[in-house]
Amino acid sequence: MKKIFTLFTFLFLLTALSAQDLPNPGFESWEDMGTYMEPESWTTPNSFSILAGVVTVTQSTDAAEGMYSARLETKDVLGFTVPGMMTYAQLEVDFVTQEFSFVGGVPMTEFVSHVHGKYKFSGDQDSASIVAYSYKYVEGEDADTVAIGAGFLSNADEWTEFTFPVFQISPNTPDTFNIIILSSSNFEGTVGSVLHIDDISVSMVTNVAETKDGFSVSTYPNPVIDRVTFETAKNANEREVSIYDMTGRLVTSKAFNNQKVSLDMGTLPQGMYTYRVVSGQELLKAGSLVKR
């Protein structure tokens, strides 16, 4: 699977949770690459940026737990702003198109509900960012993104805990999970922004409330500019559609009994959103929207 990022453009209804160990979550294991250190099981841009004499991810003894943490810094590399970045996926760079892609991740068939960790951050009008997503690969087809979530980390002088939710947007069972960590909110961040990160973990959903079989809803337009419409095949009582941003915050909702309902998204920031259509406590449909 490939996830293409140019400027980083980038269920609940749970019955039980459990924890899942990730590879090298506390950044205690590092590999000596000769001119720089690389965190084991993680991929960074260091192998590319070192060609310009720059590394953006380094080992730090300033740790929340254990001996080490990872230090990510946004730097100027040959006139380009390059955030410190780490991911469980493999990083592939196309120097002609100046695009890069993430391939693979951690094999995982469970549904991730939340991502946790500890951090310190210093940045001028900037924030660190973390994206987590699960997907399912089907041979001969594009990979299906099953769940996605994002967290943005503001200035913190002391070690601070963070948690953000991961939203299921497809009923398929995932087979791979990945995390992308940046020392800026995007690739137009502030040079000099520094993130220390430690003790990454995830909570798992052991029982997932599945979307109701046979229920169909049309969502249009998608991407959305001003208003989005949800249309179902028939009328029903006690239905509600809710839209959430990628931090899990409810941004708008509306009850509807008719076949069609429209919600205003014109004032919302651009980005990805998730929606749920429920009837009482029953999940009817979940999905994702892009706001332009």
Side-chain angles (χ1 to χ4, degrees):
M1 175 199 182
K2 291 191 176 183
K3 290 286 182 182
I4 303 295
F5 295 79
T6 54
L7 294 178
F8 195 63
T9 53
F10 267 87
L11 248 158
F12 8 119
L13 292 181
L14 312 178
T15 58
L17 295 177
S18 65
Q20 169 75 32
D21 291 333
L22 296 171
N24 196 18
F27 308 103
E28 294 300 297
S29 299
W30 292 74
E31 184 177 2
D32 188 347
M33 307 302 292
T35 54
Y36 63 91
M37 301 290 287
E38 192 82 341
E40 289 187 4
S41 301
W42 295 84
T43 301
T44 79
N46 285 343
S47 61
F48 300 101
S49 63
I50 193 63
L51 300 175
V54 178
V55 293
T56 61
V57 178
T58 55
Q59 183 188 68
S60 174
T61 56
D62 183 357
E65 299 288 342
M67 295 182 60
Y68 304 115
S69 69
R71 182 185 186 276
L72 291 73
E73 182 175 354
T74 303
K75 295 186 176 183
D76 182 288
V77 181
L78 300 177
F80 294 92
T81 299
V82 178
M85 182 179 68
M86 296 192 306
T87 176
Y88 280 126
Q90 295 301 307
L91 178 63
E92 295 184 354
V93 177
D94 188 325
F95 290 100
V96 176
T97 63
Q98 296 186 0
E99 290 183 337
F100 59 90
S101 58
F102 301 106
V103 183
V106 179
M108 190 179 296
T109 57
E110 296 87 354
F111 288 89
V112 174
S113 69
H114 291 79
V115 176
H116 318 275
K118 299 174 183 177
Y119 82 99
K120 295 169 70 174
F121 179 73
S122 175
D124 183 15
Q125 298 183 339
D126 199 359
S127 62
S129 55
I130 304 177
V131 169
Y133 59 88
S134 299
Y135 69 90
K136 179 178 179 62
Y137 177 76
V138 180
E139 187 174 357
E141 300 180 12
D142 290 337
D144 176 34
T145 300
V146 176
I148 190 168
F152 296 91
L153 310 178
S154 57
N155 283 302
D157 294 332
E158 303 295 331
W159 282 104
T160 303
E161 294 184 353
F162 69 84
T163 296
F164 64 86
V166 178
F167 297 97
Q168 183 183 345
I169 60 176
S170 166
N172 287 333
T173 300
D175 55 31
T176 306
F177 174 73
N178 187 35
I179 295 176
I180 305 168
I181 304 173
L182 292 172
S183 57
S184 285
S185 58
N186 54 44
F187 286 99
E188 295 178 350
T190 303
V191 172
S193 294
V194 174
L195 169 69
H196 285 81
I197 194 87
D198 206 352
D199 292 343
I200 301 292
S201 65
V202 292
S203 297
M204 314 302 298
V205 184
T206 57
N207 293 293
V208 179
E210 302 232 350
T211 57
K212 185 176 181 180
D213 292 338
F215 181 82
S216 62
V217 57
S218 298
T219 307
Y220 57 89
N222 189 8
V224 184
I225 296 176
D226 295 314
R227 301 189 70 84
V228 59
T229 297
F230 297 85
E231 184 173 358
T232 62
K234 58 184 179 179
N235 297 342
N237 295 326
E238 299 183 353
R239 286 193 307 217
E240 183 178 56
V241 57
S242 301
I243 298 177
Y244 301 82
D245 66 18
M246 294 315 297
T247 68
R249 182 176 64 92
L250 175 67
V251 295
T252 185
S253 65
K254 196 170 186 178
F256 70 107
N257 299 324
N258 298 326
Q259 290 178 246
K260 188 184 299 186
V261 64
S262 180
L263 284 79
D264 184 12
M265 296 182 66
T267 60
L268 297 178
Q270 295 183 3
M272 181 174 285
Y273 294 81
T274 62
Y275 70 83
R276 292 194 304 161
V277 181
V278 300
S279 177
Q281 296 300 312
E282 183 179 22
L283 175 65
L284 302 177
K285 191 73 174 181
S288 61
L289 299 166
V290 176
K291 169 63 170 62
R292 287 183 178 172

